[in-house]
Each structure stands twice: as structure tokens, then as C-alpha cells.
């Protein structure tokens, strides 16, 4: 009978962990390449937040040719920030990250605000 109790406890623990994982408001990410690195971005404009995960991060210096970059297991936070700005640029959005939080290895959540440009120069 003790084995059944352990099995039940393990099942409840697994269910509890699964429900915690389901609380994330982000779905599967969209593949995104920026500055010779590959990312997965799950953007939630309705929440003013996005989750970005490094799928194949390359480092050297921003602007360094891809052939001179190397893989890294743990890219620094500024590399994530640059990729988030790249996301906004390539999607035609005028946004600024207001905060960031590491939520898992090689994964950050960024909160942001956006604006609509006014007045055209011309």
C-alpha cells in the first residue's frame, strides 16, 4: 500500500508542476534571426510583453561578421536586449523595453511600451 501512496504523491506533484508550466501566457515562439543568432520569440502585444529564447546564440561583438562569431551556452542579457530591439525593428513597431527578467536558462521575458509615430518630416 505504501507504493500506491508514493505513486499517488508523485502523480500529484507532477500535476502540480504541469499546472505551473501551463500558467505562462506565452505560446510557442516564432523563429527569428538577428545579428547572426537564432531566437524563438513569443510576443503578446496585448500584455506588452514578449518571451525570447536563444536557440542558437552567437557572440563576438555586435556588428561582427557571422563567420567570426562562436556559439555560447549562456549569452549575456545585452545580447537578448539587442535581439528584442531587432524584433521590433523588423516588425515595424516603435517600442522600448521597460524591464526584463530571466525566466529560464537562455530565456528572458521583456515588458515593453510602444507608441505610434506622429508627424512626418517631408
Amino acid at each position: 500500500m505504501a507504493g500506491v501512496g508514493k505513486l499517488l504523491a508523485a502523480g500529484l506533484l507532477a500535476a502540480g508542476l504541469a499546472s505551473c508550466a501551463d500558467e505562462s501566457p506565452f505560446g510557442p515562439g516564432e523563429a527569428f534571426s538577428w545579428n547572426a543568432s537564432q531566437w524563438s520569440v513569443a510576443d503578446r502585444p496585448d500584455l506588452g510583453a514578449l518571451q525570447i529564447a536563444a536557440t542558437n546564440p552567437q557572440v563576438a561583438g555586435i556588428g561582427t561578421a557571422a563567420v567570426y562569431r562562436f556559439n555560447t551556452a549562456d549569452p549575456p542579457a545585452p545580447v537578448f536586449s539587442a535581439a528584442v530591439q531587432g524584433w521590433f525593428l523588423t516588425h515595424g513597431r516603435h517600442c522600448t523595453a521597460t524591464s526584463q527578467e530571466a525566466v529560464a536558462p537562455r530565456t528572458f521575458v521583456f515588458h515593453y511600451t510602444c507608441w505610434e509615430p506622429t508627424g512626418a518630416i517631408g
Side-chain angles (χ1 to χ4, degrees), residues 34-37 58-69 79 82:
W34 183 257
N35 207 23
S37 296
Q58 306 283 309
V59 295
I62 292 180
T64 303
V67 296
Y68 297 112
R69 292 175 175 263
V79 174

Side-chain angles (χ1 to χ4, degrees), residues 15-103:
L17 292 176
S19 68
C20 289
D22 291 341
E23 292 177 19
S24 173
F26 301 100
E30 177 182 329
F32 175 63
S33 293
W34 183 257
N35 207 23
S37 296
Q38 285 75 48
W39 308 90
S40 177
V41 178
D43 193 0
R44 291 286 309 268
D46 59 320
L47 299 177
L50 66 76
Q51 179 173 281
I52 184 168
T55 57
N56 184 18
Q58 306 283 309
V59 295
I62 292 180
T64 303
V67 296
Y68 297 112
R69 292 175 175 263
F70 56 92
N71 290 332
T72 181
D74 191 21
V79 174
F80 285 88
S81 296
V84 168
Q85 283 307 121
W87 172 264
F88 294 139
L89 286 171
T90 59
H91 287 78
R93 296 175 60 203
H94 302 277
C95 304
T96 301
T98 57
S99 67
Q100 66 189 38
E101 174 186 7
V103 295

